[in-house]
């Protein structure tokens, strides 16, 4: 076994790999950029070396610097994790040339499966069914338009290089194809440095099923069952599980055999995932999509149902070992579900968020596993993937695994950064999800019910009462005499009216009474009985007869509230300072996220119409089109390549028929 392994990655996957290295007695070496100097993976590794500046191209994607770190640390192997250099054949080649073992498949397998066009051709030749479409190298826009007409709409336009849904475009009408091709090529170039595209049929109500394969260097290949990855948003997986509630034993064996054939077609070795698309109405029909030549984000659910450590298996295969008896006889037991926690704001279109983690509480308990990069004081930046952690649960059956996940999400509290934890809790509770009626479009259809943009009455009441009682971090109550105002002898709260500002929502909260017996009214509405009490070290708020665990943290002017799995940042202002009336229509077009301007669709001085695209901003390989708020003449205030911050004005639209009143 290796003596020293360098982990060429960051975040939760680096922490997870280091955990296995520590268990096996292997020295771990972390690498870091400027943004990650105090990151969790740096603190947990046996050694850590600086790579370079924050941008990935100057640090985590810089092959020369990574290999130099291997040399300086004495590492004789490198684990690439996922993302960054994990599927870069040039990096695998460079490792071989420098005498460092690349813990993954051969460069030739990475290269072939990384080219989605060549991969489909190779796999189809081995007898595995592929999605109908036109898969050729070097297709021009005219070729793609002709192919789309042959296949019939709707279609998917997909980059040949890369994966993860980046650059993929669903096109339902011929009139939308030209713009989709432009966007797909731009995203493919930005993400993978290759703008090659192909088209394939869009399978109606598709399910995304993938099979975990494991192969040694001596010709043995096995599959470890399938994972259901159909709960996606914008082609990015959100919740995964194993086994799939759709697949029966007979289909499982056929899927596994097809996955093994795909792996054998490129002489694969190591851990890999073969992805299939399956029609909901015909689960016995499945089509090969692509093969990921690396460890997957969702690998923990396979580990939970098989009892295997896939990182350990990667290490053993890379050392030249044969697959062990535990692998060859592995079977799935029970059910496992994983939820990905992202630094993103569901109420703002799932845009990436940033900030400093003030305090984090992660769930524990039977059947609960947390893979996490979270740490008190961690600075979350938008330069990298926004995934912060994964909550994974196991149960003897699907219902118990889902119930444990729901409870684990309810026990997860992250203050300082807006996340998708509340959204995940509602998704797990969705009736179709509970019944196993999944497809890749479910989240988009149900998004209105899954996303809440305004805080609940419970959250508002908790904000008002915790602001007055000065709850300390993690919900513990302290001496009410420490409150800034609102208290008098006997512990009674004087009548207080608080303006609660949370994002775009503004609510007036009136509180009267004591902590154990108060009334709360929102915006002059009906008074509701509320109380706040401590039980077994935790705070609970009871409102309307229902009790909820309460978490609160005050950070300067911001009070962070967590209740019912949803976290809200509140700011309080005196009602007397509130400006009444509706806000005037703004001429400003602001960026809702930090990112980079990738395109200016309009020119300054030109007339535009309401809803017309003005500027395209990208962050984390996701594009957001900013549009005109109304008709008028536009001033574009940014250029392509500019970096912008949240709420920065990128354009201004001046109404054409605005009358100016002149006073003498």
């Amino acid at each position: 076994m290796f003596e020293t392994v360098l982990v060429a990655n960051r975040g939760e996957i680096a922490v997870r790999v280091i955990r296995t290295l520590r268990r096996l007695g292997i020295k771990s070496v972390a690498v870091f950029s400027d943004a990650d100097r105090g990151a969790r993976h740096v603190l947990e590794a046996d050694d850590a070396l600086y790579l370079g500046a924050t941008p990935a191209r100057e640090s985590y994607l810089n092959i020369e610097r990574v290999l130099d770190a291997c040399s300086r640390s004495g590492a004789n192997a490198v684990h690439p994790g996922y993302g960054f250099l994990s599927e870069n054949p040039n990096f695998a080649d460079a490792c071989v040339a420098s005498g460092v073992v690349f813990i993954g498949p051969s460069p030739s397998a990475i290269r072939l499966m990384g080219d989605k066009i060549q991969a489909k051709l190779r796999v189809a030749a081995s007898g595995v069914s592929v999605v109908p479409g036109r898969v050729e190298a070097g297709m021009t826009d005219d070729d793609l338009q002709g192919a789309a007409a042959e296949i019939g709409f709707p279609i998917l336009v997909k980059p040949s290089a890369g994966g993860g849904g980046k650059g993929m475009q669903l096109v339902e009408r011929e009139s939308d194809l030209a713009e989709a091709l432009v966007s797909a090529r731009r995203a493919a170039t930005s993400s993978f440095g290759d703008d090659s595209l192909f088209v394939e049929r869009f399978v109606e109500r598709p399910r995304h099923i993938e099979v975990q394969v494991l192969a040694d260097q001596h010709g043995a290949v096995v599959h470890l069952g399938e994972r259901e990855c159909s709960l996606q948003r914008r082609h990015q997986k959100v919740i995964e599980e194993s086994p799939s509630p759709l697949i029966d034993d007979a289909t499982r064996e056929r899927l596994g055999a097809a996955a093994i054939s795909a792996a054998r077609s490129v002489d694969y070795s190591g851990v890999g995932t073969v992805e299939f698309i399956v029609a909901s109405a015909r689960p016995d029909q499945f089509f090969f999509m692509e093969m990921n030549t690396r460890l997957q984000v969702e690998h923990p659910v396979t580990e939970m149902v098989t009892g295997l450590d896939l990182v350990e298996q990667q290490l053993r295969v890379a050392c030249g070992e044969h697959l062990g008896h535990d692998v060859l006889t592995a079977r799935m037991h029970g059910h496992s579900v994983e939820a990905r926690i992202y630094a993103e704001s569901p109420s703002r279109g799932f845009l990436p968020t940033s900030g400093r983690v003030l305090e984090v509480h992660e769930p524990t308990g039977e059947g609960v596993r947390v893979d996490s990069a979270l740490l008190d004081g961690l600075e979350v930046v938008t330069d990298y993937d926004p995934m912060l952690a994964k909550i994974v649960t196991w149960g003897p059956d699907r219902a118990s695994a889902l119930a444990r996940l729901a409870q684990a999400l309810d026990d997860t509290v992250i203050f300082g950064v807006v996340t998708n934890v509340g959204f995940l809790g509602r998704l797990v509770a969705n009736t179709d999800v509970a019944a196993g009626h999944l497809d890749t479009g479910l989240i988009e259809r149900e998004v209105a019910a899954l996303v809440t943009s305004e805080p609940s009455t419970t959250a508002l009441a908790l904000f008002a009462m915790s602001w007055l009682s000065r709850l300390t971090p993690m919900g513990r109550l302290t001496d009410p005499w420490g409150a800034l105002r609102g208290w008098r002898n006997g512990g009674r709260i004087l009548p207080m009216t608080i303006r609660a500002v949370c994002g775009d929502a503004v609510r007036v909260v009136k509180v009267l009474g004591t902590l154990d017996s108060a009334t709360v009214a929102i915006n002059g509405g009906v008074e509701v009985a509320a109380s706040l009490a401590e039980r077994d070290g935790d705070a609970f708020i009871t409102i309307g007869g229902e009790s909820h665990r309460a978490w609160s943290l005050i950070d300067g002017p911001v009070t962070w509230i967590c209740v019912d799995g949803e976290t809200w940042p509140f700011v309080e202002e005196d009602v007397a300072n509130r400006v009444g009336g509706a806000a005037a229509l703004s001429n400003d077009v602001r960026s809702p996220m930090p990112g980079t301007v990738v395109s200016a669709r309009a020119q300054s001085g030109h007339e535009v119409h309401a809803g017309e695209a003005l500027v395209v901003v990208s962050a984390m390989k996701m594009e957001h089109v900013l549009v005109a708020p109304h008709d008028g003449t536009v001033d574009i205030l940014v250029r392509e390549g500019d970096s912008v911050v949240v709420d920065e004005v990128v354009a201004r639209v001046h109404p054409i028929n605005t009358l100016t009143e002149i006073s003498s």
Side-chain angles (χ1 to χ4, degrees), residues 580-623:
L585 179 65
S586 175
N587 297 330
D588 293 341
V589 179
R590 299 176 181 272
S591 176
M593 61 181 176
T596 302
V597 176
V598 297
S599 175
R601 298 282 186 86
Q603 295 183 17
S604 293
H606 286 202
E607 291 186 10
V608 295
H609 299 287
E612 184 174 336
L614 302 179
V615 175
V616 180
V617 174
S618 173
M620 307 310 304
K621 304 296 190 296
M622 181 180 68
E623 292 187 354

Side-chain angles (χ1 to χ4, degrees), residues 452-637:
T452 177
S453 58
E454 296 188 5
S456 64
T457 298
T458 304
L460 286 161
L462 178 58
F463 163 62
M465 297 179 76
S466 65
W467 188 87
L468 292 171
S469 65
R470 281 315 207 211
L471 282 174
T472 60
M474 309 320 297
R476 297 180 183 277
L477 293 167
T478 55
D479 185 356
W481 295 101
L484 292 181
R485 57 178 177 160
W487 287 92
R488 65 182 181 184
N489 193 21
R492 184 170 179 79
I493 305 174
L494 293 173
M496 290 296 303
T497 301
I498 301 172
R499 181 179 184 239
V501 181
C502 184
D504 296 330
V506 180
R507 296 291 181 268
V508 178
V509 187
K510 183 178 180 181
V511 185
L512 176 64
T514 63
L515 283 181
D516 57 7
S517 180
T519 60
V520 176
I522 311 298
N523 281 357
V526 177
E527 292 185 349
V528 180
S531 63
L532 192 61
E534 182 180 350
R535 298 200 299 269
D536 299 325
D538 290 327
F540 288 82
I541 184 169
T542 301
I543 185 165
E546 295 186 359
S547 185
H548 311 259
R549 189 157 47 156
W551 308 86
S552 176
L553 184 148
I554 298 173
D555 181 47
V558 180
T559 298
W560 290 84
I561 291 294
C562 181
V563 66
D564 296 330
E566 191 80 56
T567 301
W568 305 94
F570 286 97
V571 177
E572 184 272 342
E573 294 179 7
D574 290 334
V575 176
N577 295 331
R578 176 168 167 260
V579 178
L585 179 65
S586 175
N587 297 330
D588 293 341
V589 179
R590 299 176 181 272
S591 176
M593 61 181 176
T596 302
V597 176
V598 297
S599 175
R601 298 282 186 86
Q603 295 183 17
S604 293
H606 286 202
E607 291 186 10
V608 295
H609 299 287
E612 184 174 336
L614 302 179
V615 175
V616 180
V617 174
S618 173
M620 307 310 304
K621 304 296 190 296
M622 181 180 68
E623 292 187 354
H624 191 76
V625 180
L626 309 182
V627 301
H630 48 73
D631 294 351
T633 303
V634 65
D635 284 336
I636 302 296
L637 306 178

Side-chain angles (χ1 to χ4, degrees), residues 257-319:
I260 289 173
S261 294
R264 288 191 185 281
S265 73
V266 291
D267 297 323
Y268 198 81
S269 66
V271 166
T273 302
V274 183
E275 304 197 359
F276 296 91
I277 197 77
V278 182
S280 297
R282 291 294 306 273
D284 59 322
Q285 292 185 355
F286 50 82
F287 304 99
F288 170 85
M289 287 198 303
E290 63 184 21
M291 183 175 186
N292 290 294
T293 55
R294 53 169 168 79
L295 195 68
Q296 288 281 86
V297 173
E298 57 273 20
H299 75 275
V301 295
T302 296
E303 294 182 326
M304 296 287 270
V305 296
T306 63
L308 297 173
D309 182 330
L310 293 182
V311 172
E312 177 182 348
Q313 296 305 319
Q314 286 184 297
L315 294 165
R316 295 193 179 282
V317 169
C319 283

